[in-house]
Amino acid sequence: MLKIRDTITIGSIAGIIATLIFISVNYIFKLMGFQLTSTWEATAKIFLASNLIHTPLGKIVGVFGEYVIGASGGIIMAYILKFTGCDYYLLKGLGMGALFWIVGVGIIGKLINLTPKIADEPITNFLIMLDLIIFGIISALIIVKFGDVKQKP
């Protein structure tokens, strides 16, 4: 099977696919009746005033931003695997997903006042943590299975 050799391309693809999967997990939890702030809503809040988030353009901005962040996370994961090797890639993906949660929600979210509502919603916080761990594992899996990210000599 032909593998994708470009690190940015395979990272972007892996990040977008992993984002689609964790958005689906969020959607399932919403269908089950869990009241939570969606990741697209949190992403839209980065760019828009609160009263614009639930408008049609607000939803587009939030979802598009979420996929751009996902592609960026996939690129970071691809470079981590390129420079550290692909052994234990699932564990590396889990660790990177947890690190994305700590940095994204815990540090950056607090610095830009993105997460005060999320801090009051333990289920949202837990699901974002779970989402990002799933994201890390799936993106690492896709990168290893479909990419050739060996470090060049």
Side-chain angles (χ1 to χ4, degrees), residues 124-139:
T124 296
N125 211 330
F126 174 77
L127 288 176
I128 290 173
M129 177 189 66
L130 184 64
D131 286 342
L132 290 172
I133 288 171
I134 290 169
F135 172 88
I137 291 170
I138 290 173
S139 62

Side-chain angles (χ1 to χ4, degrees), residues 40-51:
W40 73 263
E41 292 170 304
T43 304
K45 190 171 185 226
I46 295 170
F47 305 105
L48 301 170
S50 294
N51 63 322

Side-chain angles (χ1 to χ4, degrees), residues 80-153:
I80 293 292
L81 291 170
K82 181 175 187 163
F83 293 120
T84 66
C86 293
D87 50 330
Y88 307 108
Y89 64 92
L90 294 177
L91 186 59
K92 290 175 184 179
L94 185 148
M96 284 307 297
L99 183 62
F100 290 154
W101 173 68
I102 289 170
V103 171
V105 176
I107 297 172
I108 295 172
K110 289 203 184 303
L111 287 175
I112 63 173
N113 201 28
L114 179 65
T115 57
K117 183 178 177 191
I118 292 172
D120 292 334
E121 298 174 349
I123 188 68
T124 296
N125 211 330
F126 174 77
L127 288 176
I128 290 173
M129 177 189 66
L130 184 64
D131 286 342
L132 290 172
I133 288 171
I134 290 169
F135 172 88
I137 291 170
I138 290 173
S139 62
L141 176 71
I142 291 168
I143 290 162
V144 169
K145 297 298 179 190
F146 299 102
D148 180 14
V149 291
K150 294 181 183 87
Q151 191 171 7
K152 311 290 186 270

